[in-house]
């Protein structure tokens, strides 16, 4: 028995586009909405303050993709010059259970997370959204912008804020090379970043005792706000101000809330999850004035469908190293 090992470099070399990842993840959400996936809420351990290492198992029948992602998030890595998010993903044969691939999960995580933001925008943003606002100019904010550009062709302006001005400068320098037609604006406060924003994204470290910088009164009519950082960036009153509160998975949201560390202040009423929207079971945006909040925790269906896409391409292109099991 053999496994195929794929490093981050191997995966990057496959040149899978954001459009391909969005299509795959959207299909994953659709299958989830139709009840054709198995995905228990993710358990985690927390060896250091504000850190997590999560196990994210999932199975998607139609894609014949089964496996688990073992992913760590360490905010303190920043000062060590190490990435916040690292980890591995294992694919298992659904017929025998035998593992057949092990791969780096940092590229997959970044791309499928960005794709989830694009999918939230597909169902929940105004089609004529022009201005986007970014809080936390790191890895996920880069792939999220890639996805927003795919979904919202009218996007013109990007307001950027980060605790560290040099992170904003790096982001603008890099992303304006990729998207020369977008106008980037470095903002000196979170409030300034939110001005006139049609689609807001927060991607700062998840912390246990958050002091969220984004508050009620900052969200304009017709906005879509997407959180990738649990409840670290938005106050309960900011979320409560929204007409619809959506998540990527209601079960996981409620299980995490019950655990007690996060989501103490989220609204009682959860309108839908992305699976229900992608499968057409619930309507997304219904008019141009609703304020909508999408809390995307990250779910294993996104990983399993993307990992299978990567594996198929790797086999096709004869990439990676075969190792004995
Ligand atoms: N929901 C998902 O699917 C998903 C997936 C991956 C990562 N994440 C989360 O997204 C967040 C960002 O991850 P990343 O990989 O982009 O990390 P990153 O370290 O690359 O970027 C985080 C950025 O936030 C900035 N920052 C820190 N505190 C801030 C504050 N108070 N205000 C403004 N900016 C601040 C940092 O300077 C950094 O530039 C993390 O919370 C991570 O856990 C979510």
């Amino acid at each position: 028995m053999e496994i195929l090992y794929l490093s981050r470099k191997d995966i990057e070399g496959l040149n899978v586009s954001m459009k391909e990842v969005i299509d795959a993840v959207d299909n994953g959400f659709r299958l989830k909405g139709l009840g054709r996936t198995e995905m228990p809420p993710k358990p985690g351990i927390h060896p250091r303050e504000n850190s997590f290492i999560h196990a994210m198992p999932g199975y998607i029948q139609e894609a014949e993709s089964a496996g688990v992602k073992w992913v760590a998030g360490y905010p303190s890595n920043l000062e060590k010059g190490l990435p916040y998010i690292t980890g591995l993903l294992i694919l298992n044969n659904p017929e025998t259970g035998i593992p057949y691939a092990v791969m780096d999960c940092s590229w997959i995580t970044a791309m499928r997370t960005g794709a989830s933001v694009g999918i939230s925008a597909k169902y929940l943003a105004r089609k004529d959204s022009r201005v986007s606002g970014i809080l936390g100019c790191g890895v996920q904010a880069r792939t999220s912008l890639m996805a927003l550009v795919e979904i919202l062709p009218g996007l013109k302006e990007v307001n950027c804020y980060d605790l560290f001005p040099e992170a904003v400068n790096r982001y603008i320098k890099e992303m304006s090379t990729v998207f020369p037609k977008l106008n980037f604006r470095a903002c000196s406060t979170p409030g300034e970043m939110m001005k006139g924003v049609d689609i807001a994204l927060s991607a700062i470290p998840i912390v246990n005792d958050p002091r969220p910088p984004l508050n009620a009164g900052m969200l304009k009519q017709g906005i879509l706000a997407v959180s990738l950082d649990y409840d670290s960036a938005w106050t309960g009153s900011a979320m409560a101000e929204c007409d619809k509160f959506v998540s990527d998975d209601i079960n996981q949201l409620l299980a995490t809330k019950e655990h007690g560390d996060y989501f103490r202040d989220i609204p009682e009423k959860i309108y839908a999850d992305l699976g229900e929207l992608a499968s057409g079971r619930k309507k997304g945006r219904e008019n141009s004035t609703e304020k909508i909040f999408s809390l995307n925790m990250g779910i294993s269906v996104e990983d399993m469908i993307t990992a299978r896409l990567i594996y198929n391409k790797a086999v096709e292109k004869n990439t990676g190293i075969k190792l004995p099991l």
Side-chain angles (χ1 to χ4, degrees):
M1 289 182 293
E2 277 182 336
I3 56 167
L4 181 66
Y5 175 71
L6 297 170
S7 67
R8 171 155 183 146
K9 211 166 156 214
D10 293 331
I11 295 174
E12 282 173 350
L14 297 171
N15 292 321
V16 174
S17 69
M18 177 51 85
K19 164 110 181 41
E20 287 174 277
V21 179
I22 291 175
D23 290 345
V25 173
D26 198 14
N27 189 35
F29 279 124
R30 183 183 69 84
L31 294 168
K32 177 179 175 297
L34 296 173
R36 295 195 217 143
T37 61
E38 185 183 354
M39 196 193 69
K42 51 187 169 192
I45 54 174
H46 306 87
R48 292 287 183 278
E49 196 185 0
N50 293 324
S51 73
F52 65 80
I53 315 180
H54 284 154
M56 301 177 66
Y59 171 48
I60 307 171
Q61 261 171 36
E62 205 167 289
E64 274 298 73
S65 185
V68 65
K69 184 170 86 167
W70 182 230
V71 60
Y74 272 65
S76 52
N77 279 1
L78 196 66
E79 61 225 36
K80 298 176 184 151
L82 297 170
Y84 182 107
I85 296 285
T86 57
L88 287 173
L89 187 149
I90 302 172
L91 286 174
N92 297 72
N93 183 333
E95 199 59 43
T96 59
I98 297 170
Y100 62 90
V102 174
M103 58 188 85
D104 166 80
C105 80
S106 57
W107 184 97
I108 290 174
T109 301
M111 290 294 277
R112 65 68 147 153
T113 302
S116 85
V117 175
I119 291 160
S120 290
K122 176 176 172 184
Y123 299 110
L124 302 170
R126 288 197 344 262
K127 300 281 168 265
D128 62 348
S129 294
R130 274 191 71 253
V131 184
S132 112
I134 308 259
L135 181 87
C137 298
V139 172
Q140 314 306 320
R142 284 167 165 77
T143 51
S144 297
L145 186 62
M146 286 161 65
L148 289 176
V149 169
E150 282 292 334
I151 300 292
L152 301 170
L155 206 65
K156 294 276 181 295
E157 319 260 333
V158 187
N159 295 349
C160 308
Y161 174 80
D162 194 284
L163 201 53
F164 301 99
E166 59 277 19
V168 176
N169 295 339
R170 272 198 308 273
Y171 184 84
I172 295 182
K173 194 168 169 214
E174 210 178 297
M175 298 314 280
S176 56
T177 312
V178 184
F179 301 116
K181 289 192 183 145
L182 293 179
N183 292 320
F184 290 85
R185 197 158 71 93
C187 300
S188 48
T189 63
E192 187 192 332
M193 178 279 287
M194 285 296 288
K195 285 219 174 94
V197 161
D198 302 307
I199 169 142
L201 172 79
S202 67
I204 63 174
I206 295 171
V207 291
N208 302 119
D209 186 17
R211 284 184 201 100
L214 302 176
N215 215 331
M218 291 182 174
L219 296 91
K220 80 167 202 187
Q221 295 291 328
I223 195 173
L224 166 65
V226 184
S227 160
L228 293 177
D229 41 25
Y230 284 32
D231 48 6
S232 294
W234 304 84
T235 59
S237 53
M239 293 184 248
E241 205 178 77
C242 293
D243 302 290
K244 285 181 177 148
F245 183 81
V246 171
S247 169
D248 47 3
D249 184 52
I250 294 175
N251 282 341
Q252 184 157 297
L253 183 72
L254 296 179
T256 309
K257 182 177 172 165
E258 201 169 308
H259 192 260
D261 283 338
Y262 306 106
F263 305 141
R264 291 175 209 111
D265 269 347
I266 61 169
E268 282 288 302
K269 185 165 179 256
I270 301 160
Y271 169 74
D273 64 27
L274 293 178
E276 291 173 301
L277 301 181
S279 61
R281 292 195 160 168
K282 289 259 179 80
K283 287 186 178 155
R285 174 173 289 277
E286 290 172 274
N287 61 57
S288 60
T289 57
E290 330 181 77
K291 296 182 188 180
I292 304 184
F293 198 96
S294 186
L295 200 161
N296 296 7
M297 290 169 291
I299 59 173
S300 95
V301 161
E302 302 166 347
D303 297 308
M304 290 308 131
I305 205 129
T306 310
R308 190 62 209 196
L309 174 71
I310 294 297
Y311 176 80
N312 291 347
K313 294 254 182 196
V315 170
E316 206 179 288
K317 295 193 175 176
N318 207 13
T319 299
I321 302 173
K322 289 186 181 135
L323 299 169
L325 189 60

